[in-house]
Amino acid sequence: MSIQIADLANEFGLKPGHVVTVLDDLEIAHDHSSFEVADEDLELIREALREVPRDAPLRVRGPLTPREAAALLGVQAGEVQKTLVSKLRTMATLTTQLKPEVAEKLFELFGSRLEWKEASEPKPAAPKPRPAPKQPAVQKRPPVVTIMGHVDHGKTSLLDKIRKSNVVDTEHGGITQHIGAYQVELPEGKITFIDTPGHEAFTAMRARGAMVTDIAVLVVAADDSVMPQTREAISHAKNAKVPIIVAINKIDLPGVNPDRILTDLTQEGLVPEAFGGDTIVCKVSAHTGEGIANLLEMILLQAEMLQLTADPKGPLEAYVVEARRDKGRGPVATVLVKNGTLRKGQSLLIGTAYGRIRNMLDYRGRPIDEAGPSVPAEVMGLNEVPDAGQKVEVFEREADAREEAERRIEASKSPTHAGRGLTLKGLREKLNQGELKELNLIVRADVQGTVEAVCGQLERIKNDEVQVRIIHRGVGNVTRSDVDLADTATAICVGFNVSAESDARNQAKQRGVEIRTYRIIYELKEDIEKAIQGMLEPKFEEQRLGAVEIRMVFDLSRYGKVAGCYVTEGKVVRGCQVRVRRGSEVVYEGRVASLRHLKDDVREMTAGFECGIQFDGWTGFQEGDVIEAFERVQV
Ligand code: GDP
């Protein structure tokens, strides 16, 4: 791996020159700023550095250039040049070799002592750092974590505590703003936290197709236990196939028994490791900070297992995690990159918002030029505030982004713009297309006993094609979050003895999600059964268009056999359905393949006109046959 000499020096409170001294002693190649080393060798270097006193001389091979001297001293090269000119009356470019006595004085002026190593020996050819291994396109990326759980179990407190103990505030000393996500840096790796806790935001984002969360931390208060929103969070995370780490919080409270919660979790299908399962459970206190380091370690461990990777040079995949209008800065969106790199100056399109990235800040409010995978960035320069969860797209030119935004606005006005939700009626179609094997339901009822009873009944319904699967159940009205979940999971919301909250109804309408409410269990069951058996299949009705008589049969060399007809009633339309009778017998059922009047192809012919008709795959017609024209319409 590649190691920055300055970073390593910082770790031990030493000057970079001390590290170089050790590297030279160990004969490890470097270029005064970084070096390549294997893991086990790094430990050796660390051992050696532990022994170095802070005031030890810097023993290096000469001669040195100002650039090398600056690197050894851990200062800016400009500062070295300034000191050379002002204090030592020496003009030198960054790459001029300094006289030994000048270099020694220079080091003194920066509070260090310089000793020449093997001064008698000429400096060996500049140690060639091993060429840095070509960076693989796909690299490891930090995990993105969402904290979920029941209200008051301490989600916000936990997020705040993690942030306060692990994120250095801005140099300006200001309170770091919450921008929707932040990143903690640990020696073992980085973690990105979405700092809007709860599964509502998680699911709302998912409903828009944004899967930014890699790991869910489920907070359960030690003085309480698994509660309705805990269950919801579990359903939502499981449905999204996001692994769950449990954090039992408030262990600082006197008299709590966190172990009791392990049993409750098991009942929810989260079997803790202590019980032989694979759910990681950490005991923490957001107040005292106890256990948080362990929680972070477990998150990194889980991330390691997930093998999260991204290609910073690849195509951009990024989502908005939060957006708002700022008084001074206009629309500001916090964007999280999943793949590729977001760069200042890029032209973006987010939903119907567009613009060029005028300015970009990191989660600490510091300006940045680019943001790679899992790095949250505040983006300024959009014309309007986008929605959380929307996808970020990059355009070559801002004008193209604007054009596409305008097209989208137009398209959204069109009446055909509909959601992609599932309805009981649409179920059959999806089954026929092989899109569905399971009917996902979200079940709500007035009391827990009823929830269980209703689910019990529904789960028993199945046929060869479809299995009913209840992806979430709960007490109370159908909520917006249920609708979001239904939307992402292609599910139907059913309520028993409850209704839907108004924002749930609005959301359902917008997204085309079906909410069905019932008061009689039998009706609910019957509807679901019918839907599965296809009895809710759309019905078609025949609508008569008209009648036509075949008066003559032509056999034209160019066209083949044509029926010379006279429309006696209504009309006949090209492509319409027909039934041909000979007496009372039906001799053909099919379609009109071609319709001509004189020499022209026509779309339809009305009563009182003559026309030539050919049928789809049938030429057995005779003079005197009667054609009934009709079409099938859905009722
Ligand atoms: P949220 O609704 O899940 O975001 O919960 P909050 O973070 O707002 O916390 C709810 C309440 O629990 C607040 O009064 C917190 O002070 C308290 N609380 C949170 N974490 C702890 C903890 O670790 N120990 C104790 N004793 N109280 C906590």
Side-chain angles (χ1 to χ4, degrees):
M1 72 179 110
S2 175
I3 302 288
Q4 293 297 320
I5 290 177
D7 289 351
L8 197 56
N10 267 340
E11 197 181 317
F12 292 90
L14 297 170
K15 293 259 156 57
H18 289 121
V19 178
V20 167
T21 306
V22 167
L23 292 178
D24 284 347
D25 286 343
L26 296 170
E27 299 194 328
I28 293 171
H30 62 83
D31 64 355
H32 289 91
S33 77
S34 66
F35 64 98
E36 288 291 329
V37 71
D39 266 354
E40 56 272 29
D41 289 348
L42 185 57
E43 262 327 292
L44 221 91
I45 297 167
R46 283 209 162 95
E47 277 304 325
L49 286 170
R50 267 185 212 111
E51 306 297 322
V52 178
R54 287 187 183 199
D55 58 355
L58 308 181
R59 293 174 60 238
V60 295
R61 291 195 178 98
L64 290 174
T65 65
R67 178 182 278 149
E68 288 164 346
L72 293 170
L73 290 164
V75 297
Q76 298 291 323
E79 255 187 280
V80 165
Q81 279 183 306
K82 238 182 1 201
T83 308
L84 284 170
V85 174
S86 62
K87 305 258 168 70
L88 301 171
R89 312 221 157 265
T90 306
M91 287 288 284
T93 68
L94 286 179
T95 51
T96 314
Q97 292 191 343
L98 298 172
K99 287 188 188 139
E101 61 276 22
V102 172
E104 283 162 23
K105 285 208 182 101
L106 176 76
F107 273 56
E108 259 173 50
L109 287 168
F110 280 97
S112 286
R113 218 150 25 98
L114 175 63
E115 278 184 10
W116 300 109
K117 205 165 178 240
E118 300 155 23
S120 55
E121 271 181 43
K123 185 181 172 183
K128 276 214 179 70
R130 265 177 258 158
K134 235 179 150 220
Q135 289 215 323
V138 172
Q139 295 175 12
K140 226 171 99 173
R141 68 169 173 85
V144 178
V145 177
T146 299
I147 299 207
M148 305 200 220
H150 194 66
V151 63
D152 278 349
H153 279 195
K155 301 180 291 294
T156 317
S157 309
L158 191 60
L159 272 165
D160 285 349
K161 187 71 181 179
I162 294 172
R163 178 189 195 109
K164 285 209 189 90
S165 354
N166 294 281
V167 177
V168 189
D169 245 334
T170 52
E171 304 93 69
H172 320 297
I175 300 160
T176 311
Q177 271 198 29
H178 284 244
I179 63 161
Y182 65 82
Q183 210 171 41
V184 301
E185 289 184 35
L186 305 163
E188 302 83 21
K190 295 178 183 171
I191 306 173
T192 304
F193 282 93
I194 301 288
D195 75 357
T196 317
H199 58 266
E200 289 83 1
F202 171 83
T203 310
M205 284 184 55
R206 245 192 102 215
R208 297 201 176 90
M211 240 342 279
V212 295
T213 302
D214 302 306
I215 297 169
V217 169
L218 180 70
V219 177
V220 187
D223 63 338
D224 204 348
S225 187
V226 170
M227 295 298 281
Q229 283 168 301
T230 319
R231 287 198 191 93
E232 279 189 20
I234 296 173
S235 303
H236 286 238
K238 278 194 172 167
N239 203 270
K241 299 198 170 60
V242 168
I244 298 172
I245 293 179
V246 177
I248 300 182
N249 188 31
K250 308 198 189 182
I251 54 164
D252 58 293
L253 289 173
V256 294
N257 178 11
D259 290 335
R260 184 176 49 89
I261 291 171
L262 299 185
T263 320
D264 297 345
L265 288 168
T266 307
Q267 281 170 4
E268 300 302 322
L270 292 179
V271 186
E273 285 174 327
F275 289 2
D278 57 5
T279 303
I280 302 173
V281 179
C282 302
K283 294 172 193 168
V284 301
S285 165
H287 274 191
T288 66
E290 190 185 341
I292 289 182
N294 177 52
L295 172 64
L296 299 179
E297 229 171 81
M298 289 302 141
I299 292 173
L300 284 172
L301 192 77
Q302 177 74 57
E304 200 64 43
M305 291 193 284
L306 293 173
Q307 299 194 325
L308 305 167
T309 54
D311 177 4
K313 295 203 181 89
L316 184 78
E317 185 186 350
Y319 299 94
V320 174
V321 290
E322 203 169 288
R324 63 182 194 286
R325 185 174 293 278
D326 185 286
K327 262 199 218 122
R329 301 179 295 168
V332 180
T334 301
V335 171
L336 194 58
V337 174
K338 274 204 91 169
N339 197 59
T341 301
L342 196 66
R343 292 194 175 80
K344 202 171 150 182
Q346 276 174 332
S347 296
L348 303 184
L349 174 67
I350 310 175
T352 55
Y354 66 88
R356 242 163 57 87
I357 306 183
R358 199 165 22 85
N359 203 2
M360 202 154 69
L361 303 177
D362 71 0
Y363 58 97
R364 292 199 249 168
R366 298 177 306 185
I368 46 173
D369 288 333
E370 51 179 48
S374 299
V375 177
E378 264 196 314
V379 167
M380 278 144 270
L382 295 169
N383 72 325
E384 60 179 60
V385 181
D387 288 331
Q390 279 181 319
K391 195 170 175 15
V392 178
E393 292 163 76
V394 178
F395 278 71
E396 278 280 309
R397 301 179 327 138
E398 192 183 347
D400 296 338
R402 190 185 60 216
E403 205 172 283
E404 177 58 18
E406 282 162 1
R407 198 196 58 73
R408 286 182 186 178
I409 293 169
E410 271 313 303
S412 69
K413 289 181 193 156
S414 107
T416 55
H417 182 74
R420 60 200 163 90
L422 176 67
T423 59
L424 279 184
K425 283 211 176 99
L427 176 64
R428 173 60 28 191
E429 217 167 282
K430 292 221 156 101
L431 281 174
N432 289 343
Q433 291 161 1
E435 275 183 34
L436 263 187
K437 290 282 174 282
E438 283 172 332
L439 172 57
N440 291 338
L441 296 179
I442 291 169
V443 178
R444 286 274 183 184
D446 49 349
V447 291
Q448 190 60 34
T450 320
V451 173
E452 293 314 323
V454 170
C455 292
Q457 292 274 335
L458 294 176
E459 272 167 339
R460 256 176 268 143
I461 304 173
K462 63 172 148 196
N463 71 2
D464 295 342
E465 293 165 284
V466 198
Q467 166 96 47
V468 170
R469 196 164 73 101
I470 295 164
I471 57 168
H472 180 60
R473 57 188 75 188
V475 174
N477 288 339
V478 177
T479 63
R480 183 186 162 132
S481 148
D482 293 341
V483 174
D484 283 337
L485 179 60
D487 187 22
T488 53
T490 324
I492 292 169
C493 298
V494 292
F496 188 77
N497 279 343
V498 292
S499 54
E501 285 170 6
S502 69
D503 60 343
R505 277 200 301 272
N506 293 340
Q507 180 77 349
K509 210 164 157 194
Q510 259 188 23
R511 301 251 155 212
V513 169
E514 185 161 22
I515 303 178
R516 293 205 158 208
T517 53
Y518 298 86
R519 307 238 161 247
I520 301 166
I521 183 93
Y522 172 72
E523 282 180 5
L524 162 58
K525 215 179 136 206
E526 202 182 55
D527 261 12
I528 303 290
E529 273 170 353
K530 272 189 195 161
I532 289 184
Q533 286 155 12
M535 287 164 72
L536 292 177
E537 205 173 346
K539 282 201 172 60
F540 288 93
E541 214 173 58
E542 238 177 63
Q543 232 168 46
R544 190 178 163 92
L545 291 173
V548 182
E549 247 180 59
I550 300 183
R551 296 204 163 160
M552 215 183 272
V553 174
F554 303 98
D555 205 347
L556 305 176
S557 56
R558 211 161 138 206
Y559 297 108
K561 247 175 136 183
V562 178
C565 303
Y566 181 77
V567 185
T568 53
E569 173 213 321
K571 62 179 180 184
V572 59
V573 179
R574 175 156 33 103
C576 76
Q577 305 231 320
V578 288
R579 194 174 290 119
V580 182
R581 290 182 192 277
R582 192 165 296 154
S584 58
E585 191 195 352
V586 175
V587 290
Y588 172 74
E589 252 195 275
R591 288 182 176 278
V592 170
S594 91
L595 184 63
R596 281 207 186 80
H597 179 60
L598 303 174
K599 284 197 161 38
D600 302 325
D601 276 317
V602 291
R603 219 189 70 77
E604 62 175 55
M605 224 49 238
T606 46
F609 286 94
E610 286 179 339
C611 57
I613 293 180
Q614 283 180 309
F615 301 91
D616 198 9
W618 183 63
T619 51
F621 41 83
Q622 292 177 8
E623 221 177 280
D625 288 350
V626 175
I627 305 167
E628 286 169 26
F630 60 93
E631 58 187 8
R632 285 181 187 279
V633 287
Q634 190 177 337
V635 287

